[in-house]
Amino acid sequence: SQQGEEDPQALSIQEGENATMNCSYKTSINNLQWYRQNSGRGLVHLILIRSNEREKHSGRLRVTLDTSKKSSSLLITASRAADTASYFCATELGSGNTPLVFGKGTRLSVIA
Amino acid sequence: DVKVTQSSRYLVKRTGEKVFLECVQDMDHENMFWYRQDPGLGLRLIYFSYDVKMKEKGDIPEGYSVSREKKERFSLILESASTNQTSMYLCASSTRTGIRSLHFGNGTRLTVT
């Protein structure tokens, strides 16, 4: 079952610009995670934000979480061509050891 | 650093064949997962396991089975491969407690002809 939905489906920007991707979800969560996938490879975990957190930073990444709107955003600042990849949000529901539910992803293209 | 290894990057099988996809992780993780990824559909959970000899159905278990005889190894089995099982298969692992972020293998692209 799909829980998170990313928006937009695809995004194309120039190198140096900021990229913003959004994720909406339907039910209450324990945490929300963002993953990156280079073409033809597995996913790599980028950052996790807990339900009681509103913002988190990691290098050029900034994640926000609005539990009242059931939405999150991932901002990549000063993008580089190497940031070209697909980005997925994943939610861990409720409490306990439950599988993550992934959205369909945003395909980001950064043009040099 | 956690390593999740999938035995094959590319696999071509014929309809009706029994197919084994192997996944091994080296970080003593309790949880292991199999997803399939198709264009426009994202990642869909096939099966997961929280311990040796335990298995749970995910969202799309039909046509698949799994085996977890050892903690580090989680196998996905296609009993009788069909063309609609042509896909990218991704294995992942995580701890049972604490921050349960997933560590993925590089995937197996399976083509069933």
Side-chain angles (χ1 to χ4, degrees):
Chain A
S1 57
Q2 223 71 38
Q3 157 81 325
E5 292 289 338
E6 290 90 343
D7 170 57
Q9 289 186 337
L11 180 62
S12 184
I13 59 173
Q14 298 289 327
E15 207 168 28
E17 293 181 341
N18 295 340
T20 299
M21 289 159 271
N22 303 296
C23 171
S24 60
Y25 57 92
K26 298 174 184 173
T27 60
S28 61
I29 61 172
N30 189 34
N31 66 63
L32 185 144
Q33 304 178 29
W34 285 91
Y35 288 78
R36 166 196 168 122
Q37 183 182 34
N38 288 345
S39 181
R41 313 294 284 189
L43 282 72
V44 175
H45 178 255
L46 292 176
I47 193 165
L48 177 152
I49 186 165
R50 292 185 173 85
S51 59
N52 61 355
E53 297 176 313
R54 292 297 166 258
E55 188 170 312
K56 206 161 181 181
H57 297 255
S58 176
R60 293 185 295 113
L61 304 180
R62 173 179 168 248
V63 171
T64 62
L65 179 66
D66 187 334
T67 53
S68 66
K69 295 181 179 178
K70 292 185 169 60
S71 67
S72 173
S73 67
L74 172 68
L75 169 68
I76 304 174
T77 60
S79 62
R80 305 166 182 168
D83 294 328
T84 294
S86 292
Y87 293 83
F88 295 85
C89 69
T91 49
E92 182 178 277
L93 306 181
S95 61
N97 195 17
T98 58
L100 295 181
V101 182
F102 284 83
K104 295 180 182 179
T106 292
R107 174 70 188 167
L108 173 66
S109 297
V110 182
I111 302 165
Chain B
D1 206 16
V2 177
K3 193 167 184 182
V4 179
T5 303
Q6 294 184 232
S7 54
S8 304
R9 287 297 311 278
Y10 301 95
L11 211 51
V12 180
K13 295 292 182 180
R14 294 193 181 277
T15 301
E17 278 192 81
K18 190 169 186 175
V19 182
F20 294 85
L21 302 184
E22 306 287 347
C23 175
V24 177
Q25 50 94 4
D26 66 359
M27 279 300 290
D28 203 35
H29 282 171
E30 294 87 357
N31 299 344
M32 295 190 76
F33 306 85
W34 276 106
Y35 291 88
R36 66 176 280 177
Q37 184 178 24
D38 302 286
L41 297 178
L43 275 75
R44 294 180 291 167
L45 182 63
I46 305 172
Y47 267 98
F48 58 102
S49 168
Y50 289 153
D51 205 344
V52 176
K53 296 194 186 296
M54 286 183 61
K55 59 183 179 182
E56 299 283 346
K57 292 180 180 179
D59 298 318
I60 52 165
E62 296 78 18
Y64 303 95
S65 62
V66 289
S67 172
R68 192 156 182 211
E69 295 296 317
K70 293 184 178 181
K71 190 175 185 179
E72 67 271 19
R73 187 181 296 269
F74 192 35
S75 303
L76 180 69
I77 303 154
L78 286 65
E79 296 290 343
S80 177
S82 64
T83 55
N84 63 12
Q85 293 178 309
T86 291
S87 186
M88 169 72 103
Y89 290 88
L90 293 165
C91 174
S93 71
S94 77
T95 59
R96 181 184 295 161
T97 58
I99 296 175
R100 288 185 291 273
S101 60
L102 293 182
H103 300 264
F104 281 85
N106 274 327
T108 295
R109 187 164 294 282
L110 173 67
T111 302
V112 183
T113 61

